Amino acid sequence: QVQVVESGGGLVQAGGSLRLSCATSGRSFSSVAMGWFRQAPGKEREFVATINWGGGSTYYADSVKGRFTISRDNAKNTVYLQMNSLKPEDTAVYYCARARYSNARTGLNDYDYWGQGTQVTVSS
């Protein structure tokens, strides 16, 4: 079985920081890419960041580039999203997902297991 569980969301003031964690279980975590997506009310789910199996290759949405950092600790089966300089427009439910492949992916359909989501709210 594969499990994906996000944590670390909350309410923060604009300009603040949060670190999201994604704990995973199941076979061969270190061999697959992981990704973060988000969905705001009334909007479609969108790509945020992805990291390849070894952690050496990452990609970010333009809207978060320079502010967010994705990382992983394969020994702990955990992926992180460090979010700095948060803006109200970052408010969304954030989802962690496990990819079907080892290289980094940005498409929704490239992922086969998803967490339940964690709410991030940034107030102005």
Side-chain angles (χ1 to χ4, degrees):
Q1 288 183 292
V2 175
Q3 295 179 324
V4 183
V5 181
E6 305 97 332
S7 62
L11 173 64
V12 299
Q13 201 76 20
S17 298
L18 283 173
R19 188 177 76 158
L20 306 183
S21 297
C22 174
T24 68
S25 64
R27 71 168 83 182
S28 302
F29 166 78
S30 63
S31 70
V32 297
M34 299 292 295
W36 287 96
F37 295 78
R38 67 186 183 185
Q39 188 167 21
K43 300 181 67 176
E44 296 182 354
R45 191 169 300 186
E46 65 176 356
F47 166 75
V48 174
T50 185
I51 186 167
N52 76 326
W53 69 272
S57 181
T58 59
Y59 297 93
Y60 299 90
D62 288 341
S63 59
V64 307
K65 195 173 299 181
R67 300 187 297 120
F68 291 10
T69 302
I70 188 172
S71 62
R72 67 191 299 161
D73 186 339
N74 288 342
K76 297 181 178 179
N77 289 352
T78 302
V79 63
Y80 306 95
L81 186 68
Q82 179 67 46
M83 304 185 294
N84 298 326
S85 301
L86 284 162
K87 305 174 181 179
E89 49 263 47
D90 294 319
T91 295
V93 176
Y94 283 71
Y95 297 91
C96 180
R98 172 176 163 146
R100 307 177 191 271
Y101 315 101
S102 60
N103 52 320
R105 301 277 176 163
T106 62
L108 287 169
N109 292 333
D110 293 325
Y111 295 81
D112 55 359
Y113 293 96
W114 294 78
Q116 82 288 348
T118 186
Q119 177 71 47
V120 172
T121 303
V122 184
S123 64
S124 60

